[in-house]
Amino acid sequence: LQLRLVCLGSSSAVPTRIRGLSSTALLYGNKTLIFDCGEGTQRALLRAGIGFSGDTSIFVTHMHGDHVVGILGILQTMSMYRRTLPCKVYGPEDLKEFIESAIRTLKFGLTYNIQFTKVEPGKVVLESNFEVWACKSFHSVESFAYRFKERRRPGVFNVNKAKALGIPEGELWSKLQHGKTVRVGGRKFRPSEVLGLPRPGRSVGISGDTRPSPQLTRFFRGMDVLFFDSTYGEKHKENAKENFHSTASEAAELAEQAGVDLLVLTHFSARYSRVMTLLKEARKIHKNTIAARDQMVIEVPFREKGRPRELTIR
Amino acid sequence: LQLRLVCLGSSSAVPTRIRGLSSTALLYGNKTLIFDCGEGTQRALLRAGIGFSGDTSIFVTHMHGDHVVGILGILQTMSMYRRTLPCKVYGPEDLKEFIESAIRTLKFGLTYNIQFTKVEPGKVVLESNFEVWACKSFHSVESFAYRFKERRRPGVFNVNKAKALGIPEGELWSKLQHGKTVRVGGRKFRPSEVLGLPRPGRSVGISGDTRPSPQLTRFFRGMDVLFFDSTYGEKHKENAKENFHSTASEAAELAEQAGVDLLVLTHFSARYSRVMTLLKEARKIHKNTIAARDQMVIEVPFREKGRPRELTIR
């Protein structure tokens, strides 16, 4: 399955000419997971060519307007297009009230159900092939970081071994590949006899607005890609402390300690018209770092043993 | 004073790649009047280079999300920039609850007061040099159309006449120009002796979402510029009736009957990737018609007697 990340908005607090408010889409197979929904998210989705009429889940990190106001337009547009499929929404308790009171005053009749889940630290979503976890983060209001974790995939199927064992090609191979024991003649064959070691699933972290913390370092251990709050550069590190945000260097330190592969700096203060300085500061600490820009797409391929991974960024 | 109109969003219901949701700015001297605030309005203001830290008033036509959600981002951004000046907000009764409940759940402390006025048909704003009026319009929920009307200006000062009458140049001329009677020697001079006839003020109408109606035709009589709901073309005129909107032709008929100078079609259904057909339909009925596009600027000069007016559109 394809795992694609799209930056929909990378500005903090207020939009700029080139950066919209916080939102990141994670596309996995036919599922769309949207992390935060700043004002303008539906239009950013449109620009990116990402539909949201299908299996869509929305995760909100915290109840600040620049991370959540855009959910109203998305929910309303879904109704205009006569959606019937439920839409899953995850976030702090107040998110429910925010949505309900807007539906009341704006009088948009929903054509579908909103399945709201109040987020608590721990497992938030459990699907057959992935999970989403939440962890408390450290901001001025209750806030959560999220982690997408694809399940381990079975090992590589060893065709030669299967043939040598006399297992006929076809349905039996497929069963073994999917972890089922099969019988040929009187003999049982277990998947482990023809499969390599299980291969790790892919993982993506989204910090939301936060100070760095040891809990988050643990939470994001070994992530393939991590979007982390980098509101400020070193020059304004006191602002980062005061406003419960992180600097690019702090994001890089956390990524380095957590053994993250690719760090994506995001949520830049509007004071920076260019973020090259922040990127340089971070790269001194964690080399594999990029700065988010709106509409940037990251394809996350599987990590194949012995081959350097090539993330495609465009 | 300069009177400038800026289209901030011209799409109905859902944004498109090139059109944002409803909003129109009217800039008059140092005042900014914003009519409707669809999602994305603050960014459209930014793109247009229109600040909103000064004397800003927001008028909402009706409580549908695509006309009002963007007010939250504007109000919040004003707080982030530590506004202290009150912000004036006009709209239907529910607008107050919408704003208050969002402020509650999104916990943004306002640094300034919102002066909310529940709109009723009639005069809504009375300033020394202009008025804003509201009129009930005809949509699926309570809705208002607005009209900006500059006060009459004094007539042109006749320098030769003033000199011939022996009135010395300077302060006395200024007083006369501002409508005050002056004395030179023992003699009184009234303004009418040196001024031409009062010149009409400029006027702009904003329909919001509505069917055409005789009331609106009266309300918009003689407007210099009229932004009117043109959600549909002739082909979808039944949709216009069903959804309480207007077609481009209906907008043009109303403009023609009302003696409007420039008609601006706006609020286009997202089904039209190009609106040339709508524009052609309207121009058959009211020649001086243009189609709104986002970031379009219209400068409205005074109407000088005997000279054709030149509106600048860019």
Side-chain angles (χ1 to χ4, degrees):
Chain A
L1 283 181
Q2 206 171 31
L3 174 57
R4 175 182 292 174
L5 300 164
V6 184
C7 172
L8 300 172
S10 55
S11 187
S12 81
V14 297
T16 72
R17 279 165 190 268
I18 60 162
R19 298 185 190 276
L21 292 172
S22 285
S23 186
T24 308
L26 185 159
L27 310 177
Y28 182 63
N30 66 346
K31 291 188 164 55
T32 303
L33 286 69
I34 300 171
F35 295 90
D36 280 332
C37 270
E39 182 181 358
T41 297
Q42 67 166 326
R43 204 166 178 197
L45 285 163
L46 189 79
R47 277 185 63 199
I50 302 172
F52 45 95
S53 61
D55 188 343
T56 305
S57 307
I58 298 172
F59 301 82
V60 169
T61 59
H62 67 294
M63 290 300 293
H64 277 158
D66 56 317
H67 288 250
V68 73
V69 161
I71 200 170
L72 300 181
I74 291 178
L75 296 178
Q76 184 162 10
T77 295
M78 284 174 166
S79 262
M80 289 194 182
Y81 288 127
R82 307 255 159 246
R83 181 190 184 90
T84 52
L85 211 60
C87 176
K88 288 163 269 183
V89 174
Y90 305 84
E93 193 164 19
D94 279 354
L95 179 56
K96 189 161 180 271
E97 197 202 317
F98 176 71
I99 293 171
E100 282 175 353
S101 87
I103 289 176
R104 217 164 40 236
T105 44
L106 302 179
K107 295 180 190 65
F108 58 101
L110 285 184
T111 58
Y112 59 95
N113 287 321
I114 295 175
Q115 288 174 357
F116 177 76
T117 303
K118 181 191 158 194
V119 168
E120 307 268 9
K123 204 179 285 174
V124 176
V125 174
L126 173 61
E127 294 271 355
S128 62
N129 49 2
F130 72 88
E131 295 171 356
V132 178
W133 290 68
C135 173
K136 284 250 182 197
S137 57
F138 299 86
H139 196 46
S140 53
V141 296
E142 182 185 42
S143 63
F144 295 97
Y146 291 101
R147 175 174 84 184
F148 168 94
K149 187 91 182 69
E150 188 180 36
R151 293 276 185 98
R152 291 199 306 185
R153 295 176 305 138
V156 177
F157 190 84
N158 190 328
V159 172
N160 293 336
K161 216 165 175 186
K163 282 182 178 163
L165 289 169
I167 309 170
E169 200 171 337
E171 205 189 333
L172 294 180
W173 284 22
S174 168
K175 278 187 177 169
L176 284 162
Q177 174 80 72
H178 286 92
K180 284 175 191 148
T181 297
V182 301
R183 254 168 212 287
V184 179
R187 230 210 102 175
K188 262 191 192 171
F189 293 98
R190 275 167 305 150
S192 60
E193 294 179 70
V194 293
L195 296 180
L197 287 175
R199 292 167 294 176
R202 293 161 291 182
S203 56
V204 177
I206 309 273
S207 75
D209 291 8
T210 189
R211 293 288 304 145
S213 81
Q215 291 94 315
L216 288 178
T217 308
R218 280 195 297 276
F219 185 65
F220 290 134
R221 181 153 304 289
M223 293 286 110
D224 290 318
V225 180
L226 173 60
F227 283 76
F228 206 93
D229 178 334
S230 307
T231 311
Y232 299 103
E234 274 307 284
K235 198 177 157 190
H236 301 105
K237 64 183 175 189
E238 291 307 314
N239 301 51
K241 276 182 201 158
E242 265 169 42
N243 303 325
F244 297 92
H245 287 296
S246 301
T247 63
S249 308
E250 286 171 333
E253 273 157 25
L254 186 145
E256 190 65 14
Q257 282 169 25
V260 163
D261 187 348
L262 177 69
L263 170 65
V264 184
L265 307 178
T266 189
H267 198 265
F268 303 112
S269 163
R271 79 187 65 203
Y272 305 116
S273 57
R274 294 180 67 241
V275 295
M276 192 45 83
T277 310
L278 278 67
L279 189 56
K280 279 182 186 161
E281 287 168 1
R283 280 184 174 163
K284 272 187 213 158
I285 298 160
H286 185 76
K287 202 178 162 213
N288 195 13
T289 298
I290 59 174
R293 49 184 168 68
D294 287 26
Q295 299 290 319
M296 180 176 78
V297 178
I298 303 174
E299 305 276 1
V300 189
F302 290 111
R303 210 187 270 257
E304 300 294 352
K305 215 179 153 184
R307 267 197 286 157
R309 165 144 53 168
E310 282 173 31
L311 283 91
T312 312
I313 299 161
R314 58 171 188 271
Chain B
L1 284 180
Q2 205 170 33
L3 174 58
R4 175 183 291 174
L5 300 164
V6 184
C7 172
L8 300 172
S10 55
S11 187
S12 81
V14 296
T16 72
R17 278 164 191 268
I18 60 161
R19 297 184 190 277
L21 292 172
S22 285
S23 187
T24 309
L26 185 158
L27 310 177
Y28 182 63
N30 66 347
K31 291 188 163 58
T32 302
L33 286 70
I34 300 172
F35 294 90
D36 280 332
C37 269
E39 183 181 357
T41 297
Q42 67 167 327
R43 204 166 179 199
L45 285 163
L46 189 78
R47 277 184 65 198
I50 302 173
F52 46 95
S53 60
D55 188 343
T56 305
S57 308
I58 299 172
F59 302 82
V60 169
T61 60
H62 66 295
M63 290 302 293
H64 277 160
D66 55 318
H67 289 250
V68 73
V69 161
I71 200 171
L72 300 182
I74 291 178
L75 296 178
Q76 184 162 8
T77 295
M78 284 174 167
S79 262
M80 290 193 182
Y81 288 128
R82 308 257 161 246
R83 181 191 184 89
T84 52
L85 212 61
C87 175
K88 289 162 268 181
V89 174
Y90 305 85
E93 192 163 18
D94 280 354
L95 178 57
K96 189 162 179 270
E97 197 202 317
F98 177 70
I99 293 171
E100 282 174 352
S101 88
I103 289 175
R104 217 165 38 238
T105 45
L106 302 179
K107 295 178 190 65
F108 58 103
L110 285 186
T111 59
Y112 59 95
N113 287 322
I114 296 175
Q115 288 176 356
F116 178 76
T117 303
K118 182 191 158 196
V119 169
E120 308 267 7
K123 203 179 287 174
V124 176
V125 174
L126 173 60
E127 295 270 356
S128 62
N129 50 1
F130 72 89
E131 295 170 356
V132 178
W133 290 67
C135 172
K136 284 251 182 197
S137 57
F138 298 86
H139 196 46
S140 54
V141 295
E142 182 186 43
S143 63
F144 296 96
Y146 292 101
R147 176 174 82 185
F148 168 94
K149 188 91 182 68
E150 188 181 36
R151 294 277 186 97
R152 290 199 308 184
R153 295 176 306 139
V156 178
F157 190 85
N158 191 325
V159 172
N160 293 336
K161 216 165 175 184
K163 281 182 181 167
L165 289 169
I167 309 169
E169 201 171 338
E171 207 190 333
L172 293 180
W173 284 22
S174 168
K175 280 188 177 167
L176 285 163
Q177 173 83 71
H178 287 91
K180 284 176 193 146
T181 297
V182 301
R183 249 169 217 286
V184 179
R187 230 206 105 176
K188 262 191 193 172
F189 294 98
R190 275 166 308 149
S192 59
E193 293 178 70
V194 292
L195 296 179
L197 287 175
R199 292 167 294 175
R202 293 162 290 181
S203 56
V204 177
I206 309 273
S207 74
D209 291 8
T210 188
R211 294 287 305 144
S213 82
Q215 290 92 317
L216 288 178
T217 309
R218 279 196 296 277
F219 185 64
F220 290 133
R221 180 152 305 287
M223 293 286 111
D224 290 317
V225 181
L226 173 61
F227 283 76
F228 205 92
D229 178 336
S230 306
T231 311
Y232 299 103
E234 274 306 283
K235 199 177 157 190
H236 301 106
K237 64 183 174 188
E238 290 308 313
N239 300 49
K241 275 182 201 158
E242 265 168 42
N243 303 325
F244 297 93
H245 287 296
S246 302
T247 63
S249 308
E250 286 171 334
E253 273 158 25
L254 186 145
E256 188 66 14
Q257 282 170 25
V260 163
D261 186 348
L262 176 69
L263 170 65
V264 184
L265 307 178
T266 190
H267 198 267
F268 303 112
S269 163
R271 79 188 64 204
Y272 306 115
S273 57
R274 295 180 66 240
V275 295
M276 193 45 85
T277 309
L278 277 66
L279 189 57
K280 279 182 186 161
E281 287 168 2
R283 280 184 173 163
K284 271 187 214 158
I285 298 160
H286 186 76
K287 202 177 162 215
N288 196 14
T289 298
I290 60 174
R293 50 183 168 68
D294 288 25
Q295 300 291 319
M296 181 176 78
V297 178
I298 303 174
E299 307 276 1
V300 189
F302 290 111
R303 211 187 270 257
E304 300 293 353
K305 213 178 155 186
R307 267 197 286 158
R309 166 142 55 168
E310 281 173 33
L311 283 90
T312 311
I313 299 160
R314 58 171 189 271

